[in-house]
Amino acid sequence: MRTHEHSTDASADAEAAAASPAPGSAPVPGSGGEASITVTTEGLPRWLDPVARAARTIEPRQLSRFLPPESGAGRQSAVLVLFGEGARGPELLLMERAGSLRSHPGQPSFPGGSLDPEDGDQTTTGPLRAALREAQEETGLDPHGVQLFGVLPRLYIPVSSFVVTPVLGWWRAPSPVGVVDPGETARVFTVPVADLTDPANRATAVHPSGHQGPAFLVESALVWGFTAGVIDRILHFAGWERPWDRAKQVPLDWRA
């Protein structure tokens, strides 16, 4: 995603509305009409039930004190929070921004980006299509193998005025992924959920601006900011979080 900043703050809209073709059908972004994409929990692995339940019940202020402007202002975007199952069990798909980028070089993130006009209505299926389209463009992901099963409340990033919808997906039929554009992405990788919940891999990131937030030291990467905040809240509300030392700090520099 091209919107990585220092905050993890939510607004309203707990779930995007979507038309409903056959339950469990694979979404196809941009294939014409609102009926080409859906959100369904049918057929999910049991271990994802707590995440799906959290997506249905979580309130915006349980995620953040920052809410999108009531005026509707803000740059609409979406990210794909994609859960798969690897050799070590449940895992998440992440990517790392290219080190040559001016904004947050080398920072890990979810695939995602701004909504395009062809994505459709920003209040219903637009974020769903944008999350899948951006993931395909950035990682080569085949969206036919992804089952969307939930949408978290929209998050607001005040420093950049981005309004971000986290779209939850189950990688039902995994496809090869990798760097599509080296100018934007340094690598694409997965992180076992077991590593994210391991207290030894958790810390508090401290930015020179004074901002503090959760961080994860996994896969030779420091995951912090927006992405870490979303992961942190998912682990918490899914009941997967383990006690960790919040006094353990990782300093960031001004380039972050």
Side-chain angles (χ1 to χ4, degrees), residues 70-89:
E70 294 183 2
S71 65
R75 303 162 67 185
Q76 299 295 321
S77 60
V79 295
L80 181 63
V81 184
L82 184 60
F83 290 89
E85 192 152 7
R88 295 182 53 206

Side-chain angles (χ1 to χ4, degrees), residues 44 70 110 150 192 223:
L44 285 182
E70 294 183 2
F110 299 117
V223 183

